[in-house]
Amino acid sequence: MPSVISTVSGYRRLFSLPGTRAFTTGNLVARLPMGMFSVSAVVMIAGSRGSYALAGAVTATGLAATALAGPWIARLVDRHGQARVAVPATLASVLGSLALLLCVRYDAPDWTLFAAYAGTAATPNIGGLSRARWAHLLRDDPGALHTANSFEQAADELCFMLGPVVASFLTGTFFPEAGTLAGAVLLLAGVLLFTAQRVTEPPPRARSQARSPLRTPGIPPLLACFTATGAVFGSMEVVTIAYADAQGHRAAAGAILALQAAGSCAAGLLYGAVKPTGVRLGHCLAGMAALMTLPWAAAGGTGSLWVLAGALLMAGMATAPTMVTAMTLVQRRTPADRLNEGMSLMVTGLLAGIACGSAAGGWATEHLSPTIAYAVPVSAATLALGLATLTRAGGTPPAS
């Protein structure tokens, strides 16, 4: 009971700050589509064109384009403010999603799918914008900032938990493009609500004289780890959809993926409340590498979707602690006036990894089998652990 009370009071303290509830509400609405778009695109394209390889390649292209554009957009946010940049960027992203929908709907050539989905690259880093607000509000309270970062990671997982379920429901119940259409509407509405909360917005800063985050000691090794970790997420999503489809239950894929996010969400909230000491990034990545073997074993050993769902729930518990620990290191090592850029750079690495993982997972499911393809996220998690060990990404960076 004391731990439960401590957990509740820690998060209640965060939302007692003026304006935090309002910007969090808008942020959650805007972030939910992040868990919808990929699943909606995969289901929409694979159902129309009959190829998971094509669907994986299209989503990978969009994520790669987002990864390239993200740091540039974040730099504009640091310089001009969140509201002035995020709103027009979101409008451009929504137009890209609508273009993809129309290309699929009217059977346009395959190359138009890549071009349209690349237009979503303008999507601002919604989670990064929220984390920047917390960093601004709690700059003198590291303990509360840890709790806020854990909440943000849990919010990410909540949206990725609900997003696939909502997307699968919409695409299966109404029409294949319904998930993409609903996601575009929610994204625009959420960003407008979020940016309307000007009291908590960090002030824009003049052109920074600090070195680029890429040249900041300790940041490049973290970027490599984020990229490998992203490959875990991207491959797991595509492989699980294909595996459920092979079992004759494609509509259940969203619910199964939601369990992975549910495990991460619960672990993230607990991690933020407990504030464990002595936990390093390497420890978290080792746990992730071990737990990612569970879905592979479940798929190959039982062939049961129920067992696979339980394995994904367990595997997801390593995600949030890993991401919270890594993002906290990023916040500590990035110059304050380039914080949005630094966090967006990590998201760039994550999205690049997701793109590679999505493409690799799609290739493996089509040319090998969905069961064997579960080796892809295991390999990516092992790679992340190896990179962290070789580069000492979780340790103290050398002095500049």
Side-chain angles (χ1 to χ4, degrees):
M1 182 64 70
S3 63
V4 174
I5 294 174
S6 176
T7 300
V8 173
S9 62
Y11 289 107
R12 182 181 297 164
R13 179 186 171 197
L14 290 181
F15 296 106
S16 65
L17 298 174
T20 55
R21 295 184 183 183
F23 85 70
T24 299
T25 300
N27 185 267
L28 289 176
V29 173
R31 217 184 302 191
L32 178 62
M34 299 301 103
M36 297 174 59
F37 283 134
S38 291
V39 173
S40 297
V42 168
V43 172
M44 182 172 63
I45 296 170
S48 173
R49 306 298 167 95
S51 173
Y52 277 104
L54 175 62
V58 170
T59 56
T61 299
L63 290 172
T66 302
L68 292 174
W72 178 72
I73 294 174
R75 190 178 305 162
L76 292 177
V77 169
D78 282 328
R79 192 175 302 170
H80 301 290
Q82 294 184 354
R84 290 184 62 187
V85 176
V87 173
T90 299
L91 287 171
S93 175
V94 167
L95 291 176
S97 294
L98 295 178
L100 175 67
L101 184 155
L102 292 174
C103 288
V104 173
R105 183 73 172 178
Y106 293 103
D107 200 27
D110 288 350
W111 68 265
T112 63
L113 306 183
F114 291 91
Y117 206 54
T120 63
T123 305
N125 177 11
I126 308 298
L129 297 180
S130 187
R131 287 178 174 90
R133 293 198 179 208
W134 287 119
H136 170 65
L137 294 173
L138 304 173
R139 54 190 177 276
D140 298 322
D141 192 342
L145 183 58
H146 171 83
T147 302
N149 282 335
S150 298
F151 170 79
E152 287 299 321
Q153 188 59 42
D156 278 340
E157 302 303 335
L158 177 64
C159 292
F160 279 104
M161 175 177 65
L162 296 178
V165 176
V166 174
S168 297
F169 171 78
L170 292 173
T171 55
T173 304
F174 298 102
F175 48 93
E177 300 84 4
T180 299
L181 180 60
V185 172
L186 288 172
L187 175 62
L188 180 59
V191 168
L192 290 175
L193 178 59
F194 175 80
T195 55
Q197 315 308 316
R198 306 303 289 268
V199 175
T200 54
E201 181 179 349
R205 300 173 182 268
R207 183 183 297 270
S208 175
Q209 300 301 314
R211 67 173 69 187
S212 165
L214 273 177
R215 297 172 56 201
T216 301
I219 292 296
L222 284 174
L223 180 60
C225 291
F226 268 88
T227 303
T229 303
V232 177
F233 305 150
S235 57
M236 186 67 77
E237 182 175 276
V238 173
V239 172
T240 299
I241 293 173
Y243 184 84
D245 192 13
Q247 298 290 316
H249 299 285
R250 186 171 70 178
I256 295 172
L257 287 169
L259 287 175
Q260 181 184 1
S264 183
C265 181
L269 290 174
L270 180 62
Y271 190 68
V274 173
K275 302 182 180 69
T277 57
V279 177
R280 289 180 171 269
L281 180 60
H283 302 154
C284 297
L285 289 172
M288 175 179 288
L291 289 176
M292 285 301 158
T293 63
L294 296 180
W296 189 14
T302 67
S304 168
L305 284 178
W306 289 103
V307 177
L308 175 63
L312 286 171
L313 176 67
M314 294 295 295
M317 292 182 178
T319 302
T322 300
M323 297 301 296
V324 171
T325 302
M327 195 59 78
T328 299
L329 289 172
V330 173
Q331 290 176 337
R332 290 175 181 171
R333 297 174 183 178
T334 304
D337 56 354
R338 303 191 77 155
L339 184 56
N340 276 294
E341 184 180 351
M343 290 191 294
S344 183
L345 188 63
M346 294 304 113
V347 175
T348 290
L350 197 67
L351 292 178
I354 290 174
C356 294
S358 179
W363 183 92
T365 57
E366 192 156 305
H367 292 87
L368 301 174
S369 74
T371 299
I372 296 176
Y374 272 110
V376 177
V378 176
S379 301
T382 304
L383 175 61
L385 174 60
L387 289 171
T389 302
L390 291 174
T391 63
R392 299 181 181 178
T396 302
S400 55

